[in-house]
């Protein structure tokens, strides 16, 4: 039964949709446009909500701010350090879990635990691991004759420490996704490849990698997006500072400082817009790559 | 290449699926392995391919023992039931894959793959992905891929079961043609007797992990070695009678004197049963319960106190409830002993 829409019926439909629409408009749509608009407020009276002047001054300012350059650089190093290693490691572990049946559900749980644990708790534990004198990390490195490293206080190592922790934290989720992907590959392709004379390594290269590509794509895209937004790890690990000497300052941390410590809303919004554009570009690039190499 | 099984046994967990299998598959022949589902026919094929290993016994290719070699080393060709074409590769790349694994130079690879595409008549579709092909085309690609590395043995696991009836007949003739053109020893697993009987040089009938009979298709039908083979082959199924059944007039069957005391059961194919007007010559008298006409075939079902008989060789129109007297030629009657083994087996040359 298809009725012709009337004013009355349309109104009724919108009434039903209203609760969801209001929530979405208030908390999703409005902030997006508001923050975009805010990035162009060059002269803004916060208390009276009066904008005296619009312009691109905020963008000019942050791009001239050496701290923003550091934040951009650190974020890129962080993302490029975490995402590839995390994918490679989680694929390796997923393959092992898939092949070794003994205790595999036990290990699956172990690897998934970091995902359901709060970042703050994880950061606190890693604070201990990274302790210069009593930490497990330096103890472990000591076995190889490496001198204790000041993970949390040396600007040279702070970002590396952050990267290692984030890789570990992200493993669980990626492993679960890869395990699902591996399970979706029909065993008969492997049988056929064996018959065709492919050894285990060639089966991995020619069957597993291409047939796993949809999963790899998903893991890569979400990995890039999530890691570009890194903030809470930094905040918790360095007790509310962006690492020694701004060595772990990231774009979101920069944004946070502008907003809450400097009350410079325009520049904070501008930094957010820049991050948004970066993530958008990276994702579009990946989609283009996806069309070429990912097989469904 | 000749395939030779010596005392092969195979367990899955504590369930033994194959028991002491001994057979030789001659070079250049097309042999079908036929049996009901769960009889171990696919397992037999997997053992030849090297994808699974026997619990006991030895496998030889010609004189060479290959029991311990895995599928990567055995180098047989195989067509899987679901074809297992690599979904991310084009038709041509699928056919080239085994050659790539054998490290053949790229140019040669392509030439050989094109040759094979021509052999299986798929050359118009070489740049398509498997998903874009119909079932019959996918099967052709699967055969081409299996033949690409010029294997000495080609294995086929129910390759026709995913196709519709008409295509199945077309493809089985194609398989026969390709086998004869390439002269590769082919082992073909099926549960469909018509398929097995129509294209094979030899048929191996398996049941519950035991070989029931290996022989030429026609002999299998005319001279089954035991009751299982006799009952498994033929549609409608063979009529069997217990010689001690009071509803059967055994004296009318003329059982040869030499085996008379051994015979426990007799079997008569529906097409060998004819009508007689002389009730003294009839071994069976019954009422017509069912007349079925499919195209040119008529099958008539009779019943006498619960003993049913099917015949397909009686001309004329019959009414349900009519009484018929049936007889059969002595040469068309099969005799079985108490163990279900066929008697008068001297007639059957292997």
């Amino acid at each position: 039964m298809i009725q012709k829409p009337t004013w009355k019926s349309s109104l009724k439909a919108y009434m039903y949709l209203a609760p969801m629409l209001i929530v979405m408009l208030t908390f999703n749509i409005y902030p997006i446009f508001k923050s975009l608009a805010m990035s162009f407020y060059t002269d803004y009276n916060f208390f009276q909500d009066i904008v005296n002047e619009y312009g691109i001054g905020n963008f000019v300012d942050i791009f001239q701010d050496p701290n923003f350059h550091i934040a951009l650089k650190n974020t890129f190093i962080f993302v490029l350090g975490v995402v590839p290693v995390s994918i490679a490691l989680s694929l390796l572990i997923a393959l092992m879990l898939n092949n070794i049946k003994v205790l595999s559900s036990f290990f699956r749980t172990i690897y998934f635990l970091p995902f359901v644990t709060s970042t703050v708790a994880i950061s606190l534990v890693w604070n201990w691991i990274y302790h210069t004198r009593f930490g497990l990390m330096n103890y472990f490195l000591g076995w190889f004759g490496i001198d204790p490293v000041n993970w949390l206080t040396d600007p040279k190592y702070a970002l590396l420490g952050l990267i290692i922790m984030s890789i570990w934290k992200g493993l669980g989720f990626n492993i679960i996704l890869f395990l699902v992907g591996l399970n979706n590959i029909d065993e008969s392709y492997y049988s056929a490849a064996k018959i065709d004379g492919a050894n285990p390594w060639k089966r991995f290269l020619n069957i597993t990698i291409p047939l796993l590509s949809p999963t790899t794509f998903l893991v890569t895209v979400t990995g890039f997006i999530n890691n570009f937004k890194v903030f809470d790890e930094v905040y918790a690990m360095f007790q509310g500072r962006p690492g020694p000497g701004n060595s772990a300052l990231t774009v979101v941390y920069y944004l946070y400082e502008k907003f809450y410590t400097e009350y410079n809303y325009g520049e904070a919004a501008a930094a957010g817009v820049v991050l948004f554009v970066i993530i958008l570009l990276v994702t579009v690039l990946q989609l283009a790559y996806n069309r070429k190499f990912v097989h469904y | 290449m000749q395939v030779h099984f010596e005392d092969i046994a195979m367990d899955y967990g504590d369930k033994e699926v194959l028991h002491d299998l001994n057979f030789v598959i001659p070079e250049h022949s097309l042999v079908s392995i036929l049996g009901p589902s769960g009889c171990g026919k696919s397992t037999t094929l997997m053992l030849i391919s090297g994808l699974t290993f026997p619990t006991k016994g030895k496998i030889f290719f010609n004189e060479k023992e290959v029991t311990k070699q895995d599928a990567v080393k055995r180098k047989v060709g195989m067509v899987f039931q679901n074809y297992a074409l690599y979904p991310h590769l084009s038709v041509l790349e699928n056919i080239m894959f085994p050659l790539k694994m054998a490290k053949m130079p790229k140019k040669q690879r392509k030439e050989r793959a094109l040759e094979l595409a021509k052999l299986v008549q798929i050359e118009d579709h070489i740049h398509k992905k498997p998903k874009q092909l119909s079932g019959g085309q996918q099967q052709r690609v699967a055969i081409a891929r299996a033949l690409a590395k010029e294997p000495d043995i080609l294995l086929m696991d129910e390759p026709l079961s995913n196709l519709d009836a008409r295509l199945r007949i077309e493809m089985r003739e194609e398989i026969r043609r390709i086998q004869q053109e390439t002269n590769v020893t082919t082992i073909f697993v099926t549960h469909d007797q018509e398929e097995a009987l129509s294209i094979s040089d030899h048929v191996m009938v398996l049941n519950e992990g035991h070989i029931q009979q290996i022989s030429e298709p026609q002999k299998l039908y005319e001279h089954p070695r035991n009751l299982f083979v006799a009952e498994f082959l033929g549609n409608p199924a063979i009529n069997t009678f217990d010689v001690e059944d009071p509803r059967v007039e055994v004296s009318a069957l003329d059982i040869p004197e030499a085996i008379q005391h051994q015979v426990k059961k007799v079997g008569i194919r529906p097409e060998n049963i004819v009508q007689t007007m002389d009730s003294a010559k009839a071994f069976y008298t019954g009422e017509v319960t069912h007349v079925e006409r499919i195209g040119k075939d008529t099958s008539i079902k009779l019943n006498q106190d619960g003993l049913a008989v099917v015949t397909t060789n009686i001309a004329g129109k019959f009414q349900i409830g009519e009484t018929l007297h049936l007889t059969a030629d002595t040469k068309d009657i099969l005799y079985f002993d108490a163990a279900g083994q066929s008697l008068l087996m001297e007639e059957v040359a292997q």
Side-chain angles (χ1 to χ4, degrees):
Chain A
M1 191 176 72
I2 298 166
Q3 283 178 341
K4 239 187 152 180
T6 59
W7 275 104
K8 212 179 141 195
S9 69
S10 299
L11 192 71
K12 202 170 153 191
Y14 283 117
M15 294 271 280
Y16 283 120
L17 290 171
M20 192 60 214
L21 280 177
I22 289 167
V23 170
M24 263 183 60
L25 283 170
T26 321
F27 294 103
N28 287 347
I29 313 288
Y30 172 74
I32 290 174
F33 288 100
K34 184 69 182 172
S35 59
L36 187 64
M38 245 167 113
S39 66
F40 292 103
Y41 294 176
T42 41
D43 190 352
Y44 177 50
N45 186 334
F46 173 73
F47 298 102
Q48 290 169 309
D49 194 18
I50 297 167
V51 185
N52 298 318
E53 199 186 333
Y54 292 95
I56 57 161
N58 292 323
F59 292 95
V60 176
D61 285 348
I62 60 168
F63 276 108
Q64 279 169 352
D65 182 355
N67 272 351
F68 189 67
H69 294 175
I70 293 173
L72 275 178
K73 194 181 112 208
N74 284 344
T75 306
F76 273 101
I77 293 173
F78 178 81
V79 167
L80 292 177
V82 172
V83 177
V85 178
S86 174
I87 288 171
L89 262 184
S90 44
L91 177 57
L92 185 76
I93 295 168
L95 281 170
M96 291 199 291
L97 287 177
N98 209 35
N99 284 320
I100 307 160
K101 296 293 169 209
V102 189
L103 290 177
S104 79
S105 58
F106 169 73
F107 280 113
R108 223 172 292 179
T109 313
I110 293 283
Y111 282 113
F112 199 63
L113 274 179
F115 184 73
V116 292
T117 311
S118 93
T119 308
V120 176
I122 289 172
S123 300
L124 286 175
V125 172
W126 277 83
N127 245 305
W128 276 100
I129 293 176
Y130 282 143
H131 195 280
T132 312
R133 284 173 60 200
F134 311 114
L136 270 175
M137 191 63 125
N138 281 343
Y139 178 72
F140 174 73
L141 291 176
W143 289 354
F144 302 97
I146 296 170
D147 289 333
V149 174
N150 296 321
W151 289 103
L152 300 174
T153 47
D154 187 336
K156 272 205 303 217
Y157 293 105
L159 193 58
L160 180 65
L162 193 71
I163 288 173
I164 293 172
M165 185 193 83
S166 298
I167 290 170
W168 176 83
K169 184 173 160 276
L171 280 183
F173 191 62
N174 291 348
I175 289 170
I176 296 290
L177 288 179
F178 274 127
L179 278 174
V180 173
L182 286 171
N183 269 315
N184 282 340
I185 301 177
D186 198 303
E187 194 55 40
S188 70
Y189 297 131
Y190 290 105
S191 296
K194 272 187 214 168
I195 293 281
D196 288 342
N199 60 33
W201 175 242
K202 287 198 172 144
R203 290 201 290 276
F204 175 72
L205 284 184
N206 291 290
I207 308 293
T208 310
I209 293 283
L211 294 185
L212 204 58
S213 56
T215 309
T216 316
F217 176 69
L218 176 71
V219 168
T220 315
V221 170
T222 54
F224 271 112
I225 292 174
N226 284 331
N227 287 302
F228 266 119
K229 297 190 302 188
V230 60
F231 169 76
D232 37 1
E233 286 90 340
V234 185
Y235 193 87
M237 180 111 109
F238 300 104
Q239 280 93 32
R241 289 183 303 113
N246 276 346
S247 56
L249 181 69
T250 64
V251 173
V252 179
Y253 203 102
Y254 178 87
L255 188 157
Y256 166 83
E257 277 194 328
K258 283 281 170 215
F259 201 96
Y260 285 104
T261 19
E262 297 175 22
Y263 304 110
N264 196 336
Y265 306 117
E267 287 186 21
V273 170
V274 171
L275 185 65
F276 169 76
V277 170
I278 291 172
I279 293 177
L280 188 72
L281 283 177
V282 170
T283 309
V284 166
L285 268 175
Q286 287 182 89
L287 282 171
Y289 175 85
N290 166 43
R291 217 157 286 151
K292 225 172 158 186
F293 293 101
V294 176
H295 312 280
Y296 289 100
Chain B
M1 201 181 273
Q2 187 193 65
V3 179
H4 177 189
F5 269 38
E6 201 179 283
D7 299 326
I8 290 289
M10 178 75 193
D11 302 342
Y12 280 128
D14 51 359
K15 194 172 159 264
E16 199 172 273
V17 289
L18 293 176
H19 322 267
D20 293 321
L21 237 53
N22 283 290
F23 64 80
V24 175
I25 288 170
E27 200 163 3
H28 305 313
S29 62
L30 199 167
V31 175
S32 295
I33 304 178
L34 177 65
S37 54
C39 71
K41 53 190 192 300
S42 286
T43 309
T44 309
L45 204 69
M46 296 291 256
L47 287 172
I48 302 173
S49 73
L51 288 171
T52 51
F53 298 97
T55 324
K56 184 168 90 57
K58 289 175 178 167
I59 301 169
F60 296 91
F61 287 176
N62 284 345
E63 307 305 310
K64 200 168 143 247
E65 192 187 333
V66 296
T67 320
K68 295 264 149 46
Q69 288 185 359
D70 68 359
V72 180
K73 290 219 183 78
R74 280 198 206 173
K75 304 202 158 98
V76 299
M78 185 158 174
V79 177
F80 290 82
Q81 186 169 1
N82 62 357
Y83 313 135
L85 296 175
Y86 308 122
H88 55 292
L89 301 179
S90 72
V91 167
L92 200 64
E93 287 167 329
N94 260 286
I95 303 175
M96 288 196 297
F97 188 78
L99 305 173
K100 189 175 161 195
M101 293 303 111
K103 301 201 172 73
M104 186 188 269
K106 198 160 185 185
K107 209 177 143 218
Q108 242 172 300
R109 239 190 269 166
K110 200 162 175 183
E111 274 169 26
R112 171 95 185 114
L114 284 170
E115 234 170 74
L116 280 157
K118 213 164 271 165
L119 175 74
V120 299
Q121 295 166 358
I122 197 82
E123 67 266 41
D124 298 336
H125 307 283
I126 51 171
H127 296 300
K128 286 186 185 165
K129 290 275 167 70
K131 252 196 295 194
Q132 296 163 286
L133 301 177
S134 69
Q137 290 168 335
Q138 287 187 21
Q139 201 215 26
R140 287 168 192 271
V141 179
I143 295 174
R145 183 180 66 180
L147 289 172
K149 59 188 164 180
E150 297 180 47
D152 296 313
I153 299 163
L154 177 64
L155 307 173
M156 297 186 163
D157 189 2
E158 307 239 6
L160 304 173
S161 60
N162 289 343
L163 306 177
D164 63 48
R166 192 172 288 265
L167 196 57
R168 205 177 296 173
I169 293 171
E170 186 192 316
M171 285 313 295
R172 77 180 188 215
E173 279 156 15
E174 277 293 290
I175 289 173
R176 186 61 177 157
R177 174 184 70 83
I178 292 163
Q179 193 269 333
Q180 278 168 346
E181 265 176 53
T182 55
N183 215 4
V184 56
T185 309
T186 304
I187 301 158
F188 180 100
V189 161
T190 180
H191 63 268
D192 183 337
Q193 43 172 305
E194 203 189 314
E195 241 165 69
L197 298 183
S198 62
I199 64 169
S200 331
D201 297 316
H202 296 274
V203 177
M204 176 183 350
V205 181
L206 270 184
N207 187 39
E208 290 177 345
H210 290 286
I211 294 179
Q212 305 295 318
Q213 184 167 2
I214 307 177
S215 65
E216 289 159 23
Q218 202 51 31
K219 277 192 182 141
L220 206 62
Y221 186 74
E222 285 167 0
H223 304 288
R225 218 171 66 185
N226 59 35
L227 203 53
F228 174 82
V229 178
E231 286 177 334
F232 188 68
L233 293 176
N235 191 22
I238 195 166
N239 298 292
T240 55
F241 309 96
D242 206 309
V243 289
E244 280 151 24
D245 194 326
R247 292 167 292 189
V248 180
E249 197 53 59
V250 181
S251 61
L253 289 173
D254 268 337
I255 299 175
E257 215 154 307
I259 57 165
Q260 214 159 39
H261 59 285
Q262 284 176 279
V263 174
K264 188 83 176 68
K265 275 195 158 182
V266 295
I268 310 171
R269 298 252 174 232
E271 67 272 24
N272 293 330
I273 293 179
V274 289
Q275 193 187 2
T276 176
M277 292 305 158
D278 184 357
S279 66
K281 281 186 185 164
F283 72 92
Y284 176 91
T285 301
E287 264 182 22
V288 177
T289 58
H290 192 75
V291 180
E292 192 180 79
R293 289 205 169 80
I294 303 169
K296 61 180 175 25
D297 300 319
T298 305
S299 71
I300 296 165
K301 213 170 171 184
L302 300 98
N303 182 36
Q304 182 204 340
D305 301 332
L307 180 68
V309 166
V310 178
T311 161
T312 56
N313 201 14
I314 299 182
K317 282 203 152 80
F318 296 96
Q319 299 301 317
I320 286 172
E322 215 171 313
T323 302
L324 295 181
H325 304 291
L326 302 179
T327 184
D329 202 328
T330 313
K331 71 170 174 38
D332 295 327
I333 301 173
L334 303 167
Y335 308 99
F336 302 97
D337 66 12
Q341 292 300 308
S342 195
L343 296 161
L344 294 181
M345 277 297 286
E346 64 270 21
E347 283 178 41
V348 183
Q350 276 286 330

